[in-house]
Amino acid sequence: MNTLTKLVLLGALIAVPAMGIAQEDTVTSGINASTDTVFILNSLLFLIGGFLVFWMAAGFAMLEAGLVRSKNVTMQLMKNVALFSLAAIFYYLIGYNLMYPGGSWSFDGILSGVWGPGVLEAVGVAAADADDYSYASTGSDFFFQLMFCATTASIVSGTLAERIKLWPFLIFVIVLTGLIYPVQASWKWGQGFLDQAGFLDFAGSTVVHSVGGWAALTGALILGPRIGKYNKEGKTVPIPGSNLTLATLGTFILWLGWFGFNGGSQLAMGTVGDVADVSRIFANTNTAAAGGAIAAMIVSQIMFKKPDLTMTLNGALAGLVSITAEPLTPSLGAATLIGMAGGMIVVFAIPFMDKLKIDDVVGAIPVHLICGIWGTIAVVFTNSEASLGTQLYAILVVGVFTAVVSGIVWLILKAVMGLRVDEETEINGLDMAELGMEAYPEFTNG
């Protein structure tokens, strides 16, 4: 037997078992994953999505640090660290159970009957003792949902920068993350009355972003604009930020975190369909951001004769907010158009806010509130199950609730503690007056 024949026979012997394995794979590939596997994969999705959304806290901090003046950078960094930490504690103490009553309502579909701290599963829990063996671990769900709560508070921070006192702001954060956010979120994600009415908000254009926007708007109206923002003739005086490099870094960090924000909101990764949907959400989220950035850049070129970087950055964020209410059902083309519309909205909305003398330092109200409303409405264009009337109804309900309660809290804080720093502190900067330290001491007089 020659060498060539031996090689052919050897190849055949190797191929026969391999063919059997391939055939077996073909047969078993259609078998559903075990409940253990689904539990593990769903929990893993929440944990991965959660730490991506946590990274958005860094994005907000860098964006705000770049868009405020040097004399106020340390204050913004302190606020972002503190607000996230407070959100973590008060969402645990009260917010999580308010948001997910598990059918236990004080007022059916409106207010949870479960008031108290969240409780995790036991160490080394067995399948039979898991809180929801067919779904995911309680710890992963809590961790994921906490990140959304903290994001809502981050939205408020940038709008009110450069003139609000630290401690009144942090007290408001406690109320926002412990009560306001979880109560209204229960109406949709806790299977409350808005969910029962058919309201659709996949990852929170309304539940998260517009809530942060409404809280920021009421705060800005009560607090008033920064000194020098509007002159005696009523014209807007530009106040450039300290570091556009940081602002750009912050935007890219937020863009990255949004894949967890939207992708994790699929809430399942145990089937082929779920994983395919997560990948579809990632792709649509990305293209909406790109569309928003390009649209804002082009429109700012037309309006201001030069493309504006800060508008372009906010355009990307506007695209992300716009697609958040429904990142699954659009095609790539539709997602791009939804994001582009958001980017255009921001370029028109920011100057309009200035005409109303509403001083929003980072443009959070146009990005998160106005584009949050747009994104919630845009659901009807790609999801046949959405009703325009229901979407508008939910926008109105959440908006009125958040604005009224936030306004009351801001007014109480103003009366009891005062919200705004004194004129001298505002002119000299909050870093030294409120914190006694500067972000860039070698570049200032101290």
Side-chain angles (χ1 to χ4, degrees):
M1 186 179 293
N2 60 37
T3 303
L4 177 61
T5 305
K6 290 178 180 179
L7 290 173
V8 171
L9 288 173
L10 180 61
L13 288 171
I14 294 171
V16 169
M19 289 170 63
I21 291 170
Q23 185 179 23
E24 183 176 273
D25 283 348
T26 302
V27 172
T28 60
S29 64
I31 296 176
N32 292 331
S34 68
T35 306
D36 269 9
T37 302
V38 171
F39 182 91
I40 292 167
L41 290 175
N42 288 353
S43 300
L44 184 62
L45 176 66
F46 289 162
L47 294 173
I48 293 172
F51 72 63
L52 280 170
V53 182
F54 164 78
W55 191 227
M56 291 174 70
F60 279 112
M62 293 301 97
L63 179 67
E64 293 171 22
L67 293 180
V68 301
R69 289 168 287 185
S70 299
K71 60 187 179 180
N72 297 309
V73 171
T74 306
M75 175 62 109
Q76 289 309 112
L77 298 177
M78 175 65 84
K79 284 163 61 181
N80 276 274
V81 173
L83 73 85
F84 183 89
S85 303
L86 288 170
I89 293 170
F90 284 90
Y91 189 69
Y92 146 66
L93 288 176
I94 187 171
Y96 184 62
N97 280 329
L98 280 183
M99 185 168 162
Y100 291 108
S104 300
W105 298 94
S106 293
F107 299 96
D108 188 33
I110 298 175
L111 184 63
S112 171
V114 185
W115 293 72
V119 179
L120 304 181
E121 287 153 324
V123 176
V125 66
D129 300 317
D131 291 339
D132 194 344
Y133 176 49
S134 63
Y135 180 49
S137 66
T138 300
S140 66
D141 181 62
F142 168 82
F143 178 74
F144 183 66
Q145 298 301 337
L146 163 63
M147 300 306 147
F148 284 65
C149 180
T151 297
T152 307
S154 297
I155 294 166
V156 184
S157 172
T159 294
L160 308 180
E162 302 200 308
R163 72 268 201 205
I164 192 169
K165 294 178 180 178
L166 176 63
W167 290 106
F169 170 78
L170 295 181
I171 292 172
F172 180 83
V173 167
I174 292 172
V175 178
L176 178 64
T177 57
L179 291 170
I180 297 173
Y181 170 79
V183 167
Q184 62 81 35
S186 74
W187 299 343
K188 167 56 187 172
W189 292 340
Q191 299 181 332
F193 75 98
L194 290 181
D195 185 61
Q196 295 167 15
F199 172 49
L200 299 181
D201 190 4
F202 192 94
S205 285
T206 286
V207 173
V208 177
H209 293 283
S210 79
V211 167
W214 285 116
L217 176 61
T218 55
L221 290 172
I222 293 169
L223 196 62
R226 289 169 289 174
I227 296 171
K229 177 63 178 176
Y230 307 108
N231 62 25
K232 294 180 180 179
E233 290 74 37
K235 293 183 179 180
T236 301
V237 178
I239 302 178
S242 62
N243 193 326
L244 292 183
T245 305
L246 280 185
T248 303
L249 174 63
T251 300
F252 274 116
I253 292 173
L254 289 167
W255 193 327
L256 172 64
W258 231 287
F259 296 127
F261 201 98
N262 287 355
S265 294
Q266 175 68 13
L267 304 183
M269 199 171 69
T271 68
V272 170
D274 285 327
V275 174
D277 284 351
V278 170
S279 66
R280 182 183 178 96
I281 291 166
F282 271 49
N284 280 339
T285 298
N286 186 68
T287 198
I294 295 300
M297 182 175 66
I298 293 172
V299 175
S300 67
Q301 168 74 60
I302 295 170
M303 289 182 64
F304 311 125
K305 309 306 178 187
K306 291 182 180 180
D308 187 302
L309 175 61
T310 58
M311 289 291 188
T312 303
L313 298 179
N314 274 328
L317 299 178
L320 289 163
V321 172
S322 300
I323 201 64
T324 293
E326 185 49 87
L328 176 60
T329 56
S331 65
L332 281 171
T336 305
L337 292 174
I338 290 169
M340 291 182 76
M344 290 187 285
I345 287 170
V346 158
V347 180
F348 290 107
I350 290 176
F352 180 70
M353 297 278 294
D354 282 330
K355 288 183 179 180
L356 298 177
K357 304 295 184 293
I358 300 173
D359 185 11
D360 179 355
V361 177
V362 302
I365 295 169
V367 169
H368 296 278
L369 174 55
I370 300 177
C371 288
I373 292 171
W374 153 243
T376 305
I377 293 170
V379 176
V380 303
F381 300 130
T382 64
N383 190 328
S384 60
E385 296 181 3
S387 161
L388 178 59
T390 303
Q391 297 298 99
L392 293 173
Y393 167 67
I395 290 167
L396 180 64
V397 168
V398 172
V400 169
F401 169 76
T402 306
V404 169
V405 178
S406 295
I408 291 171
V409 175
W410 285 126
L411 289 171
I412 291 173
L413 290 171
K414 182 178 181 180
V416 174
M417 304 176 66
L419 285 178
R420 187 164 183 149
V421 298
D422 60 68
E423 184 175 339
E424 182 181 358
T425 296
E426 185 173 343
I427 292 171
N428 292 332
L430 278 64
D431 286 359
M432 288 303 296
E434 290 273 293
L435 304 176
M437 60 181 67
E438 298 172 302
Y440 311 108
E442 66 271 32
F443 299 117
T444 63
N445 293 324

